[in-house]
């Protein structure tokens, strides 16, 4: 991939390619999407695609990174403090607002890798806040994977059974009771 400028035209082209990819992944598995499909939908050519992306998996990575970056909880330094519930609710609302693309990627053949990346980002953020103590590493692994599984199930229904606020309260209550039960006296 060669170096390109970041002018308005370049941003518009990348946005068109990424939008085309998003529309395609909502309907097809990543393995069934071709670069030709993307360039046709974006009304551009293959060389333009390759100017910005190495291959299909590069644009998938960019899409995943943007989804993860949009989750506000990753930008909060107060995950265990007073703003934790607000940040978590905002994050869950973001996931809910973008549920179709989250569902498409999670349910694709690349879904396991995406969920692993998501768990890794959440886990490392939480572990850093908990002073990287070995016992905490196990708790973070348990709760992170459990929360991701619950959120995946929440997204899988056609109509979510809980709002973002309700899901936040559910996760927070479940995690707090579990942490309290595992506290050393």
């Amino acid at each position: 991939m060669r170096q390109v400028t970041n002018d308005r035209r370049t941003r518009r082209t990348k946005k068109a390619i990424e939008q085309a990819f998003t529309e395609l992944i909502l309907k097809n598995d990543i393995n069934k999407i071709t670069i030709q499909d993307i360039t046709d939908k974006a009304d551009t050519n293959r060389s333009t695609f390759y100017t910005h992306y190495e291959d299909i998996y590069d644009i998938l990575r960019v899409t995943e990174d943007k989804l993860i970056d949009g989750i506000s909880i990753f930008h909060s330094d107060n995950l265990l403090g007073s703003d934790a519930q607000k940040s978590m609710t905002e994050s869950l609302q973001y996931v809910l607002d973008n549920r179709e693309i989250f569902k498409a990627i999670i349910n694709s053949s690349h879904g396991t890798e995406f969920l692993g990346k998501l768990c890794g980002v959440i886990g490392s953020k939480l572990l850093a806040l908990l002073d990287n103590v070995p016992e905490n590493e196990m708790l973070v692994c348990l709760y992170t994977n459990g929360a991701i599984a619950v959120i995946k199930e929440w997204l899988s229904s056609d109509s979510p059974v809980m709002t973002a606020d309700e899901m936040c309260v559910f996760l927070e209550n479940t995690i707090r009771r579990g942490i309290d039960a595992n506290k050393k006296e």
Side-chain angles (χ1 to χ4, degrees), residues 35-91:
I35 291 170
Q36 190 65 50
D37 294 336
I38 295 170
T39 57
D40 286 349
K41 194 162 212 42
D43 194 26
T44 189
N45 58 51
R46 293 174 67 85
S47 65
T48 301
F49 177 91
Y50 285 115
T51 298
H52 302 290
Y53 307 97
E54 293 176 18
D55 56 19
I56 296 279
Y57 296 99
D58 188 31
I59 194 169
L60 175 64
R61 181 194 52 75
V62 167
T63 303
E64 291 174 346
D65 289 348
K66 284 183 179 183
L67 287 172
I68 290 172
D69 193 51
I71 298 174
S72 65
I73 198 166
F74 300 134
H75 307 291
S76 173
D77 292 329
N78 197 15
L79 285 181
L80 303 175
S82 59
D83 293 334
Q85 188 170 17
K86 179 181 180 235
S87 182
M88 179 67 137
T89 300
E90 287 172 358
S91 296

Side-chain angles (χ1 to χ4, degrees), residues 83-114:
D83 293 334
Q85 188 170 17
K86 179 181 180 235
S87 182
M88 179 67 137
T89 300
E90 287 172 358
S91 296
L92 289 168
Q93 188 61 53
Y94 172 80
V95 170
L96 194 58
D97 291 344
N98 293 280
R99 72 190 295 265
E100 292 306 317
I101 187 68
F102 273 98
K103 275 175 56 173
I105 292 175
I106 288 168
N107 293 326
S108 77
S109 57
H110 193 72
T112 302
E113 288 87 356
F114 176 64

Side-chain angles (χ1 to χ4, degrees), residues 11-21 38 41-42:
R11 288 190 304 270
R12 189 172 46 241
T13 300
K14 286 180 75 171
K15 184 176 181 178
I17 292 170
E18 290 171 12
Q19 181 63 37
F21 174 76
I38 295 170
K41 194 162 212 42

Side-chain angles (χ1 to χ4, degrees), residues 151-171:
I151 291 167
K152 180 181 174 191
E153 184 65 28
W154 180 51
L155 292 176
S156 70
S157 66
D158 291 333
S159 177
V161 294
M162 291 184 209
T163 66
D165 280 331
E166 292 167 337
M167 179 56 75
C168 179
V169 169
F170 171 79
L171 288 172

